[in-house]
Amino acid sequence: MKRRDFLKYMGIGTAALAMSPESFCTEKLHAPLPHRSGRINLSFKPYELKLIHTFTVSKNSRTHTPDVLVFLEYEGIVGYGEASMPPYLGETTESVCSFLSQVDMTRFNDPFRMEEILEYVDSIAEGNRAAKASIDIALHDLVGKMMGQPWWRIWGLSPEKAPCTSFTIGIDTPEVIRQKVDEAAAYKILKVKVGVPNDKLLIETIRSHTNRPICVDANEGWNNKEEALEMVYWLAERGCTFVEQPFPKAMLDETAWLRERSPLPIVADEFLQRLDDVPRAYGAYDAINIKLMKSTGMHEAYQMASAARAMGMKLMIGCMTETSCAISAAAQLSPLCDWADLDGNLLISNDCYEGVKIVDGRIKLNERPGIGVNQSLTISI
Ligand code: MG
């Protein structure tokens, strides 16, 4: 089907093709833009994310997260994407910029050929998942804007099914933990980072301060299955809803052992990156935590969600510390998911995008086309 026929089929007038992102956001029609290159142009810019609090998990602490903002332009319409690189992913600003420098998007003259474009991007080099995700997100934003529709609608999802998001509390002193719990008053679920010797003190500090449900993420920080099982029962008695990545990812047999006995669902995070990891997680984990920076973006994330669902597994949509750009992109998938942990934009002080919101603790998808964001700070490329 030709693109214009497809748009007609989607109920979208061809005027949509000539609309800039701004015109979609203000719902005003504008005259066609004079510049029609017929080629997809890629540009990018490093952008360091500043964390509001020093963020500590079981393996490291940090105050900044490196990030690269990506722009795909086609006939005057710009799609936004980003690559966020927390240390454990192994990507850096230099590696992402080096990868993006190798991508020749001008070889494509039809952004709707997403499968072909993303296959090409994936074939350039192994790994580089965040770099690949940045192009995938920008391409989805571009195509959604050309269609005049948000991705949750293109995928046929119902926005009212978007779950509440948890808010992450990093490992810290009891005093700072109490302060963070107060700051997270708007969120109905707290995600607590554990995996250190004083795990129970952390949980008891939170429990002495709030009755809100919690979930825990050990970030591979536990290594004894009997102790882990005792801890999971202890957590279940304290209003915990699930346990994420209890053991190092190589301890698959121990994870399956724990899952068989656990009163709480066990969620795979570090264990699982891309689509071919989903069947490997089956049997050892009850659920998978999909993150765009691991999955190479929205295209494969949707495939992973479909595969996990087909195997009867539960789904979580998660994030890194990211701007509202990648968070809003991930949120498009959230109506498919049982749980969401999309708070990465709330942990930074220099978000340069404005997108989906959290209302009464729940993800509120908007009607903006693409991934649903506007720039809130002007970024010169
Ligand atoms: Mg995790």
Side-chain angles (χ1 to χ4, degrees):
M1 186 186 289
K2 287 182 179 172
R3 182 156 56 86
R4 280 175 192 277
D5 292 339
F6 178 62
L7 290 169
K8 192 175 169 188
Y9 175 74
M10 293 289 294
I12 304 159
T14 50
L17 286 170
M19 292 168 71
S20 69
E22 290 73 22
S23 67
F24 281 115
C25 300
T26 56
E27 295 181 356
K28 289 176 186 169
L29 289 171
H30 292 277
L33 292 161
H35 175 65
R36 300 180 74 85
S37 66
R39 287 280 183 273
I40 306 172
N41 297 298
L42 165 68
S43 52
F44 52 91
K45 185 183 177 75
Y47 185 77
E48 191 172 66
L49 305 180
K50 295 174 184 156
L51 301 179
I52 295 169
H53 289 289
T54 301
F55 192 67
T56 302
V57 296
S58 63
K59 290 180 179 167
N60 56 63
S61 281
R62 64 182 194 273
T63 56
H64 292 76
T65 301
D67 195 274
V68 176
L69 305 177
V70 166
F71 309 88
L72 286 182
E73 183 272 341
Y74 182 78
E75 297 186 344
I77 300 177
V78 180
Y80 301 128
E82 75 173 307
S84 165
M85 291 84 71
Y88 86 91
L89 281 180
E91 292 179 73
T92 62
T93 300
E94 292 69 30
S95 71
V96 169
C97 291
S98 166
F99 180 87
L100 294 175
S101 300
Q102 297 173 62
V103 179
D104 176 17
M105 293 297 281
T106 62
R107 63 200 282 164
F108 300 104
N109 59 13
D110 183 358
F112 280 73
R113 295 193 177 205
M114 300 178 78
E115 188 90 29
E116 183 184 331
I117 295 169
L118 295 173
E119 222 168 80
Y120 155 72
V121 172
D122 197 25
S123 74
I124 291 173
E126 289 286 307
N128 292 281
R129 292 188 300 270
K132 291 171 182 175
S134 68
I135 296 196
D136 168 287
I137 294 168
L139 185 61
H140 278 77
D141 194 34
L142 175 65
V143 168
K145 283 169 173 168
M146 292 176 74
M147 290 165 59
Q149 297 294 335
W151 272 92
W152 58 260
R153 178 170 290 129
I154 295 167
W155 279 326
L157 305 179
S158 305
E160 63 276 9
K161 289 189 177 170
C164 289
T165 185
S166 52
F167 185 88
T168 300
I169 308 286
I171 293 167
D172 224 311
T173 61
E175 190 182 327
V176 176
I177 293 272
R178 279 191 285 271
Q179 183 194 338
K180 288 180 178 175
V181 169
D182 287 341
E183 286 174 12
Y187 301 92
K188 295 188 187 304
I189 307 165
L190 299 175
K191 179 165 164 177
V192 187
K193 294 289 191 181
V194 295
V196 289
N198 67 345
D199 280 350
K200 287 188 178 176
L201 175 64
L202 273 175
I203 302 296
E204 278 169 347
T205 301
I206 291 170
R207 270 292 158 262
S208 67
H209 209 58
T210 177
N211 287 324
R212 273 177 282 170
I214 57 171
C215 50
V216 301
D217 186 356
N219 289 110
E220 307 182 289
W222 298 345
N223 50 34
N224 179 298
K225 63 184 186 182
E226 282 84 11
E227 285 176 19
L229 184 60
E230 185 270 324
M231 185 67 179
V232 173
Y233 271 98
W234 187 87
L235 288 165
E237 289 166 7
R238 283 156 184 81
C240 183
T241 51
F242 62 79
V243 175
E244 189 174 324
Q245 200 63 51
F247 300 128
K249 58 187 174 187
M251 291 175 63
L252 194 58
D253 292 343
E254 289 83 353
T255 308
W257 182 93
L258 179 64
R259 178 187 170 249
E260 273 179 32
R261 293 159 180 80
S262 171
L264 300 177
I266 306 294
V267 182
D269 185 5
E270 283 86 344
F271 174 81
L272 169 135
Q273 312 292 326
R274 299 190 60 173
L275 180 60
D276 56 4
D277 295 321
V278 177
R280 295 199 305 120
Y282 181 75
Y285 295 90
D286 298 288
I288 61 168
N289 184 350
I290 299 172
K291 296 177 179 175
L292 300 188
M293 296 302 141
K294 298 191 299 180
S295 70
T296 69
M298 298 166 71
H299 184 68
E300 194 156 319
Y302 186 85
Q303 294 176 319
M304 291 170 74
S306 303
R309 274 269 179 262
M311 288 187 278
M313 300 177 82
K314 286 188 175 298
L315 287 177
M316 177 174 177
I317 183 81
C319 65
M320 310 297 176
T321 40
E322 299 163 348
T323 74
S324 289
C325 175
I327 294 292
S328 299
Q332 304 297 316
L333 282 160
S334 66
L336 279 174
C337 299
D338 302 278
W339 306 299
D341 182 30
L342 294 181
D343 63 349
N345 54 336
L346 308 170
L347 306 177
I348 61 172
S349 60
N350 59 338
D351 192 352
C352 52
Y353 287 96
E354 178 262 323
V356 300
K357 298 280 184 274
I358 306 301
V359 177
D360 200 21
R362 191 170 292 281
I363 295 166
K364 176 108 173 103
L365 291 157
N366 60 44
E367 290 283 340
R368 293 177 192 155
I371 59 171
V373 297
N374 286 332
Q375 281 188 316
S376 56
L377 294 174
T378 303
I379 305 292
S380 56
I381 304 167

